[in-house]
Amino acid sequence: MFEPIKNKKIHQQVSEEIQKMILSGELKLGDKLPAERKMAEMLNVSRTSIREALRSLEIIGIIESRQGEGNFISENFDQVGLEPMSLIFTLKNGKFKDILEIRNILEIEAAGLTAERITEERKEILENLLTDLINADSEAERVAIDKSIHYKIAEYTNNILIVTILETISSLMIYFIKDARLKIVKNLKVDNLLEDMHRNIVKSIISGNKEKAKQAMKEHFDNVYLSIQDNEEFDN
Amino acid sequence: MFEPIKNKKIHQQVSEEIQKMILSGELKLGDKLPAERKMAEMLNVSRTSIREALRSLEIIGIIESRQGEGNFISENFDQVGLEPMSLIFTLKNGKFKDILEIRNILEIEAAGLTAERITEERKEILENLLTDLINADSEAERVAIDKSIHYKIAEYTNNILIVTILETISSLMIYFIKDARLKIVKNLKVDNLLEDMHRNIVKSIISGNKEKAKQAMKEHFDNVYLSIQDNEEFDN
DNA sequence: AGAAAAAGATTGGTATGACCATCATACTTC
DNA sequence: GAAGTATGATGGTCATACCAATCTTTTTCT
């Protein structure tokens, strides 16, 4: 049969060209790209097309444009993907429940994986965070530490996809419910549930017991779920 | 303290304006946006800025530009998010193992959720797919049906996030290992493992037994994992 | 000599205007 | 009525100009 005639737009081709250089390793984190005028000359296209390509790469977080300096490959991407996700989520009528559901799944599994792969050095870091949490004297602080603990657990799975996806989902949650984390932490403050639960999680991860770690994380989320059940704001 | 002075770029503001209209429901799937020249006039900015905003929304899959027709809110998004993911994955030195790991997690949980939520109508669809798989007489066909089954299971969780993320991850897998699915299917062809496993999965989902469904899916992936273990191509 | 200030060069950000390519529509023409 | 044709709308690309922020070099002052 005939092959479909390709009619790719210039800016798209330019974008792909840059992506290729990234995928091939030619461009690395933090690298500076050639100046726009230079690139336009090199690829023999207008600066307009170069810029349209850069814009598309910018919004997905791959590059950063700094006026007067240049275009750079981003160093920081933990929160990449939020923009598209939140829009798609809205357009497809996603429910808040969906966010919680997948977050629970991933956090529970992450706890299990981290328990299997934990190192001495990392055990110490987690324990320090736990101590900080117990000694925290403001809710803002507790929220920050709570977030750190969960982030570290995800990071210690050694699976970059889990980290990226969980970050995206967390951002998505915040996007839909402002200060969601703070509200949850407030509710759990009663009876020191927050501290107890996290002590449980950290201890079981440190013990290296996968199933115990998953169970502890599950219980934590069960509590979270109970604590927000009555809050109409989370209803969606 | 002083508030940070906002210095947002025009194209970014335009992009946000459009996003707002989407989030507020003013723009819906398939809707046509005003013409670029018209929007430029309305927002009192140059067409350049409008276009840069549109480009960024286009690459993340939110809108579609059709020359001679106009710009539209996309109808189809299942594969959205791949572009950014694959680049980030590469830049962060992600391993192929990471892809399999999170895919297994999500597919297994998806099977469980679907088992809980299955309806009569959907049972029939799954059973038909199973029959098709058994009667398929080419590997290309088997690959396609295999893919359909997994997609349907994800879809039937009723959780749009699970669908979107699994689609992204699957695409990511294909991106790194061309014809990954075909190679896996080929290996499983021996002893009719593919059919047996899928029969197991579908049957247990239809029975509504969550744990059985998860177990069946887990066994399937254990087999997949075994079948590719010796293949150096999947090493990283 | 050293620091501060000024000037110049580089680079991204925005605006215009022009022209091309594609598609939808209305209008002949037969 | 059907086919072909012109017209207009719309996105795609380009060239140029100028603004704004940053970096680099030079000058100036103490």
Side-chain angles (χ1 to χ4, degrees):
Chain A
M1 284 303 175
F2 283 105
E3 282 292 305
I5 307 291
K6 77 165 180 182
N7 177 24
K8 281 188 181 161
K9 290 154 194 168
I10 304 261
H11 63 82
Q12 199 174 341
Q13 293 180 51
V14 173
S15 170
E16 281 167 14
E17 209 57 38
I18 297 172
Q19 292 185 38
K20 262 187 218 160
M21 287 167 72
I22 294 174
L23 290 171
S24 76
E26 203 167 338
L27 286 173
K28 289 190 293 293
L29 264 66
D31 280 2
K32 184 178 177 209
L33 276 61
E36 295 180 357
R37 293 167 176 84
K38 189 81 183 168
M39 274 197 280
E41 192 188 353
M42 292 195 308
L43 297 176
N44 197 30
V45 297
S46 75
R47 198 177 148 216
T48 311
S49 297
I50 296 287
R51 281 185 61 78
E52 291 195 353
L54 291 175
R55 285 299 71 69
S56 58
L57 292 172
E58 186 181 23
I59 204 174
I60 60 183
I62 298 297
I63 71 162
E64 256 174 63
S65 291
R66 296 203 284 270
Q67 187 169 355
E69 294 185 65
N71 294 299
F72 301 82
I73 305 289
S74 296
E75 296 266 17
N76 235 349
F77 307 51
D78 287 342
Q79 207 154 315
V80 151
L82 166 65
E83 300 291 333
M85 267 292 187
S86 61
L87 290 171
I88 293 162
F89 193 68
T90 304
L91 284 170
K92 290 230 171 186
N93 291 317
K95 309 294 177 210
F96 190 72
K97 184 186 68 58
D98 296 345
I99 300 179
L100 286 183
E101 189 165 83
I102 194 163
R103 182 159 168 265
N104 293 10
I105 290 172
L106 289 179
E107 294 242 21
I108 290 170
E109 294 294 331
L113 291 173
T114 294
E116 287 182 318
R117 297 165 188 177
I118 194 74
T119 64
E120 292 305 320
E121 188 188 0
R122 291 177 166 185
K123 283 181 187 176
E124 203 172 321
I125 295 176
L126 286 180
E127 274 186 326
N128 288 340
L129 280 171
L130 186 58
T131 311
D132 293 347
L133 180 67
I134 293 168
N135 296 333
D137 42 32
S138 81
E139 252 153 15
E141 208 176 328
R142 265 188 289 276
V143 168
I145 297 169
D146 169 65
K147 191 174 169 179
S148 288
I149 293 178
H150 286 277
Y151 184 87
K152 285 293 176 196
I153 291 173
E155 182 188 337
Y156 295 167
T157 61
N158 297 330
N159 185 328
I160 186 60
L161 274 176
I162 292 182
V163 178
T164 304
I165 293 174
L166 264 177
E167 275 294 292
T168 302
I169 292 171
S170 294
S171 306
L172 194 55
M173 184 176 73
I174 305 284
Y175 188 87
F176 279 86
I177 305 217
K178 189 158 165 43
D179 296 325
R181 220 177 257 275
L182 175 62
K183 285 164 187 162
I184 290 169
V185 167
K186 261 186 187 163
N187 282 336
L188 290 181
K189 186 68 191 72
V190 193
D191 306 324
N192 293 324
L193 256 180
L194 187 72
E195 289 85 344
D196 289 350
M197 287 293 113
H198 281 81
R199 194 196 323 273
N200 236 327
I201 293 167
V202 170
K203 293 299 180 193
S204 50
I205 285 178
I206 287 176
S207 78
N209 188 322
K210 178 175 185 173
E211 290 310 319
K212 248 176 81 183
K214 285 172 66 173
Q215 184 58 30
M217 185 66 88
K218 182 177 182 313
E219 280 171 20
H220 172 46
F221 276 109
D222 286 345
N223 275 311
V224 169
Y225 191 73
L226 283 174
S227 82
I228 66 173
Q229 217 169 22
D230 312 321
N231 194 327
E232 69 284 349
E233 201 182 353
F234 292 86
D235 268 2
N236 182 12
Chain B
M1 285 301 179
F2 284 103
E3 282 292 307
I5 308 290
K6 78 164 178 179
N7 176 25
K8 280 188 181 164
K9 291 155 195 169
I10 305 263
H11 62 81
Q12 201 173 338
Q13 293 181 51
V14 173
S15 170
E16 281 167 14
E17 209 55 41
I18 297 172
Q19 291 184 39
K20 262 187 218 160
M21 288 167 73
I22 293 175
L23 289 171
S24 75
E26 200 166 339
L27 286 174
K28 290 191 292 296
L29 265 66
D31 279 2
K32 182 177 178 208
L33 277 63
E36 296 180 356
R37 292 167 176 85
K38 188 81 184 168
M39 275 197 279
E41 191 188 355
M42 294 194 308
L43 296 175
N44 197 29
V45 297
S46 74
R47 194 175 153 220
T48 311
S49 296
I50 297 286
R51 281 185 62 80
E52 290 196 356
L54 292 176
R55 284 299 71 69
S56 58
L57 292 173
E58 185 182 24
I59 204 174
I60 62 184
I62 299 297
I63 71 160
E64 249 173 69
S65 291
R66 295 204 284 271
Q67 188 169 353
E69 292 185 66
N71 293 298
F72 302 82
I73 306 289
S74 295
E75 296 266 17
N76 231 346
F77 297 66
D78 287 342
Q79 207 154 314
V80 151
L82 164 66
E83 301 290 333
M85 268 291 183
S86 61
L87 289 172
I88 293 160
F89 193 70
T90 303
L91 284 170
K92 292 233 171 182
N93 290 318
K95 310 292 177 208
F96 189 71
K97 182 185 72 54
D98 296 346
I99 300 178
L100 286 182
E101 190 165 82
I102 195 162
R103 182 160 169 263
N104 292 10
I105 290 172
L106 289 179
E107 293 242 22
I108 289 170
E109 294 295 331
L113 292 173
T114 295
E116 287 182 318
R117 298 165 186 177
I118 194 73
T119 64
E120 291 305 319
E121 188 188 0
R122 291 176 166 186
K123 284 181 187 175
E124 201 171 323
I125 295 176
L126 286 180
E127 275 188 325
N128 288 339
L129 279 170
L130 185 60
T131 310
D132 291 346
L133 180 68
I134 292 168
N135 295 332
D137 42 32
S138 79
E139 254 153 13
E141 207 176 330
R142 266 188 289 275
V143 168
I145 297 170
D146 170 64
K147 191 174 171 181
S148 289
I149 292 178
H150 288 276
Y151 183 87
K152 285 293 175 197
I153 291 174
E155 183 188 336
Y156 294 167
T157 62
N158 296 331
N159 185 326
I160 186 62
L161 275 176
I162 292 182
V163 178
T164 304
I165 293 174
L166 264 177
E167 275 293 292
T168 302
I169 292 171
S170 293
S171 305
L172 193 55
M173 185 175 75
I174 305 283
Y175 188 86
F176 279 85
I177 304 219
K178 190 157 163 45
D179 297 325
R181 218 177 258 275
L182 175 61
K183 285 162 186 162
I184 291 169
V185 167
K186 261 186 187 166
N187 282 334
L188 290 180
K189 186 66 189 74
V190 192
D191 306 324
N192 292 322
L193 258 179
L194 186 74
E195 287 86 344
D196 288 351
M197 289 293 112
H198 282 82
R199 192 194 327 272
N200 237 327
I201 294 166
V202 170
K203 292 300 180 193
S204 49
I205 285 178
I206 288 177
S207 78
N209 187 323
K210 177 175 185 171
E211 291 309 319
K212 246 177 83 182
K214 285 173 67 173
Q215 185 58 31
M217 186 65 88
K218 181 175 183 314
E219 279 171 21
H220 173 45
F221 275 110
D222 286 345
N223 275 311
V224 169
Y225 191 73
L226 282 176
S227 82
I228 66 174
Q229 217 170 21
D230 312 321
N231 194 328
E232 69 283 350
E233 204 184 347
F234 290 87
D235 268 0
N236 169 34

